[in-house]
Amino acid sequence: MRPVQVPDLSAREVYAACISKTRPKVKARLQALTEDVVNAASEFEVAASAADLHRLIDLKTNPTDESDRAQLTKNYTQRLTNKDHPAREIYDELKIAGRLCPLCAHRDVETLDHQLPKSLYPLLAVVPLNLVPACRSCNTLKSDADPSSAYDQTLNPYFDDISKEQWLFARVHEVAPACVSFHVKPPSSWDEVLAARVLWHFKVFDLAELYGNQAGRAMTSLRYVLKRKAPSTIPAYLKDEADGGADEDPNSWKAVMFQALANSSWYINGGFALE
Ligand SMILES: [Zn+2]
């Protein structure tokens, strides 16, 4: 859940690039839909910035013609993503805006995720603000999810920036070997909708499992590191690692893991060594 700079690309120019090489008959039909696409993009921008995507119901039935809907979808599947199509450079530009997948903040960006699925909202198939850089796992996990209220809208990294405050926390489990689990604790400054959305996002993208697995691996290595340290130096070492990681990203699983370990007297006083 990392913010991404809003792309400097208009819906009109991306759409024009996508339909530029289509056959004359198809092109004429797609050109006739240009203003519908531009208007849909404006509606999407307003709704996405207000967690109002569930109100864009009218976009689902526009256009009504099945062949028009199919051609709009092909703008993404056969044109924007096609390595031999001139619009492909736009796809690559959108992808490169995020190094790490902004949805999980862990894996590499490999594709673009439609915030509102192209299968249901064909007018938004190549609208830049609806195309979020993502890893394949996040793209697959979200699939064709369609929000039914403000509360079940996953975060859009162009509009939602929750990187400044800590909302991710971990709990140490006093077992052998030691492990941590992750959870969302919304800051008091968040409103009810944002808190619900982040909890939903955390659930949809299985982030508790992803971060828990990563932490499990990291803690196996950490056990050997800590065993070689003088016991009196362990608290400061864990705190340094937590603070260093939090400087870069207070919600990185690693920084949060070190924070939880640094706060656990059970872990510091020998829990770390249990196998
Ligand atoms: Zn991801």
Side-chain angles (χ1 to χ4, degrees):
M1 296 194 247
R2 296 157 73 102
V4 174
Q5 194 173 349
V6 171
D8 187 20
L9 289 162
S10 71
R12 187 183 295 278
E13 69 182 295
V14 175
Y15 187 73
C18 288
I19 70 173
S20 61
K21 282 183 72 180
T22 43
R23 287 175 286 116
K25 199 172 161 190
V26 173
K27 190 172 185 176
R29 292 193 71 145
L30 286 170
Q31 271 176 332
L33 291 165
T34 299
E35 293 313 311
D36 285 353
V37 168
V38 171
N39 291 336
S42 299
E43 281 186 58
F44 177 86
E45 184 170 3
V46 172
S49 57
D52 265 346
L53 293 178
H54 57 296
R55 298 191 200 281
L56 299 179
I57 299 166
D58 290 351
L59 294 185
K60 289 192 202 182
T61 50
N62 187 14
T64 51
D65 183 274
E66 284 304 326
S67 105
D68 282 348
R69 294 175 75 86
Q71 284 297 337
L72 286 167
T73 305
K74 284 180 183 172
N75 277 340
Y76 184 81
T77 56
Q78 296 185 8
R79 294 161 195 143
L80 193 69
T81 56
N82 182 343
K83 286 186 175 160
D84 297 323
H85 195 284
R88 170 69 187 212
E89 66 182 45
I90 295 172
Y91 175 82
D92 293 334
E93 189 181 333
L94 288 167
K95 258 176 60 179
I96 218 166
R99 183 177 58 85
L100 282 182
C101 169
L103 303 175
C104 63
H106 180 72
R107 293 176 285 248
D108 292 340
V109 167
E110 296 162 291
T111 186
L112 297 177
D113 178 66
H114 289 81
Q115 170 113 35
L116 288 181
K118 60 187 178 305
S119 58
L120 299 173
Y121 301 85
L123 289 174
L124 298 173
V126 294
V127 166
L129 293 176
N130 190 38
L131 299 173
V132 173
C135 67
R136 287 202 197 286
S137 294
C138 284
N139 185 236
T140 303
L141 285 166
K142 185 160 145 293
S143 188
D144 281 355
D146 185 24
S148 60
S149 74
Y151 300 102
D152 63 356
Q153 293 178 34
T154 54
L155 300 179
N156 181 316
Y158 300 133
F159 299 99
D160 303 306
D161 182 359
I162 56 167
S163 64
K164 303 290 186 288
E165 294 173 285
Q166 186 177 357
W167 49 264
L168 181 68
F169 291 84
R171 185 166 75 86
V172 177
H173 295 267
E174 299 179 356
V175 294
C179 64
V180 297
S181 60
F182 292 84
H183 59 275
V184 174
K185 192 167 125 191
S188 56
S189 59
W190 287 5
D191 63 27
E192 184 194 6
V193 170
L194 181 59
R197 289 181 65 205
V198 175
L199 285 162
W200 179 252
H201 187 107
F202 197 72
K203 183 179 174 184
V204 167
F205 295 109
D206 278 348
L207 297 183
E209 185 178 328
L210 173 64
Y211 298 163
N213 289 341
Q214 297 303 320
R217 272 191 279 278
M219 286 169 68
T220 300
S221 307
L222 185 60
R223 184 192 310 143
Y224 294 102
V225 172
L226 297 182
K227 277 182 172 177
R228 285 164 178 71
K229 288 191 177 294
S232 61
T233 65
I234 289 176
Y237 172 78
L238 294 174
K239 190 168 184 319
D240 276 356
E241 291 289 326
D243 292 346
D247 266 356
E248 196 180 325
D249 178 2
N251 298 295
S252 79
W253 64 262
K254 196 177 263 186
V256 169
M257 174 194 79
F258 274 111
Q259 179 190 52
L261 298 179
N263 289 333
S264 167
S265 54
W266 172 84
Y267 183 79
I268 288 167
N269 293 317
F272 70 84
L274 299 178
E275 294 188 44

